Amino acid sequence: MHGKALPYLLLMPATLFLCIFFLYPFALVAFEAVTRDGAFTLDNFRTMAGSWKFPVTVRNTLLLAAIVVPIQLTMALLMASVVSRLETGRSAALYVFAIPLGISDLAAGLIWLAIFDQSGFLNTLLSSLGVIDRPVMFLGYQSKLTIFIAVALAEIWRATAIMMVILVAGMGLIPKEYYEAAEVFGASPWQRFLRITLPLLRPSLQTAIILRVILAFEVFAVVAALGGTNLPVLMGETYNWQFTLQDRNVAAASALLILAISIGFTLFFLRVLRVPKEARI
């Protein structure tokens, strides 16, 4: 009996953690999203969708994810390929590439704020080169495109490393014999990458893309630091409903919308990048 119960005892701490810190809060949020004053209603979702900011927040969030994630995936593949091919200094290169992982979202936003601010590094550089006569307000309320670009750059710099680490681990599982056999048959490095690396890397790609897409829909601190309310996103509006407008029910409905979008994209990538059992390493 002790041997049979051991696996369940080992799973119990993680199960309790998920129940207390995920399932219970989720149940509370779901209840508040579909009720008001104790009665069932969908008015919270109607209020959320009826806000003039709602189409803008959805557009900004989806556009940011659509631009940032592909760029991060490309850079992560390149960085992982470089790290995997290194014979010496591999650990050092991996540590250098992974430095942004140790920086919080807000800290990353403040770093890039110091670059784009009116008295920041970019204005100082342009002024010293004689390109501008006076400081430029890159992050002003009329510079929404610049704010969007700054947020995208900050997100690419901050979160590419997490995808790289996952892909480096996946590349380490690919047997070297496949590459040696392909080289014997005259396959070029690009052909080896397309025909061997990418197909066998699909499980790692699946994990990296799903994780990064979910985090892209939850972007908040970087946007708050660089754009404030000038670049509304879904997570920012959820915060606004909760703490500025003091409407917990609509905030809960907004949180459920983010969850639904995340689940939808997760299922999509699980379907697109699924790996048959017989094709796994």
Side-chain angles (χ1 to χ4, degrees):
M1 288 296 294
H2 178 72
K4 292 181 179 180
L6 182 60
Y8 300 100
L9 292 175
L10 294 175
L11 288 173
M12 186 176 297
T15 303
L16 289 175
F17 179 86
L18 289 175
C19 291
I20 296 173
F21 295 103
F22 177 74
L23 293 180
Y24 177 67
F26 170 74
L28 291 179
V29 170
F31 177 78
E32 289 188 349
V34 296
T35 59
R36 184 173 286 274
D37 299 326
F40 176 80
T41 180
L42 295 178
D43 288 343
N44 301 320
F45 292 95
R46 296 190 187 99
T47 303
M48 174 192 67
S51 171
W52 67 270
K53 278 189 176 182
F54 180 73
V56 180
T57 58
V58 174
R59 183 198 65 195
N60 288 340
T61 305
L62 294 178
L63 186 60
L64 190 63
I67 292 175
V68 167
V69 174
I71 294 176
Q72 287 182 318
L73 178 61
T74 304
M75 293 181 61
L77 280 170
L78 179 61
M79 294 160 64
S81 299
V82 170
V83 171
S84 298
R85 292 176 181 274
L86 289 176
E87 296 293 337
T88 57
R90 177 178 177 179
S91 298
L94 185 60
Y95 291 146
V96 170
F97 286 153
I99 285 175
L101 283 179
I103 301 174
S104 68
D105 299 7
L106 182 58
L110 293 176
I111 290 172
W112 284 84
L113 178 63
I115 296 175
F116 285 96
D117 193 47
Q118 197 168 1
S119 58
F121 300 130
L122 183 57
N123 268 307
T124 302
L125 176 62
L126 294 177
S127 179
S128 63
L129 294 176
V131 178
I132 57 176
D133 297 327
R134 63 188 68 180
V136 179
M137 188 178 292
F138 292 108
L139 302 179
Y141 71 95
Q142 293 180 328
S143 307
K144 297 186 183 299
L145 178 59
T146 309
I147 294 174
F148 185 90
I149 293 173
V151 170
L153 289 174
E155 279 292 294
I156 291 169
W157 174 78
R158 181 190 66 83
T160 300
I162 191 170
M163 299 183 76
M164 180 209 65
V165 170
I166 296 172
L167 297 182
V168 167
M171 288 181 179
L173 297 175
I174 301 176
K176 294 183 179 180
E177 290 80 3
Y178 293 169
Y179 295 105
E180 294 171 355
E183 193 172 359
V184 168
F185 284 100
S188 66
W190 180 246
Q191 289 175 325
R192 294 197 295 270
F193 179 78
L194 289 179
R195 300 297 180 87
I196 298 175
T197 304
L198 281 183
L200 296 180
L201 204 60
R202 286 179 71 175
S204 299
L205 286 172
Q206 185 185 77
T207 302
I209 292 174
I210 289 174
L211 179 61
R212 189 60 198 97
V213 167
I214 291 175
L215 293 177
F217 292 135
E218 297 175 359
V219 63
F220 171 64
V222 173
V223 176
L226 291 173
T229 58
N230 294 320
L231 185 69
V233 291
L234 282 173
M235 189 60 73
E237 281 307 294
T238 303
Y239 177 89
N240 186 47
W241 281 111
Q242 176 72 29
F243 295 103
T244 304
L245 301 177
Q246 297 290 312
D247 195 326
R248 298 172 57 186
N249 301 93
V250 179
S254 182
L256 282 189
L257 174 64
I258 297 173
L259 177 63
I261 294 175
S262 300
I263 292 175
F265 276 92
T266 298
L267 295 176
F268 171 76
F269 285 116
L270 285 174
R271 176 71 177 176
V272 171
L273 297 175
R274 74 183 189 279
V275 182
K277 290 184 179 179
E278 61 274 9
R280 296 175 184 172
I281 300 176

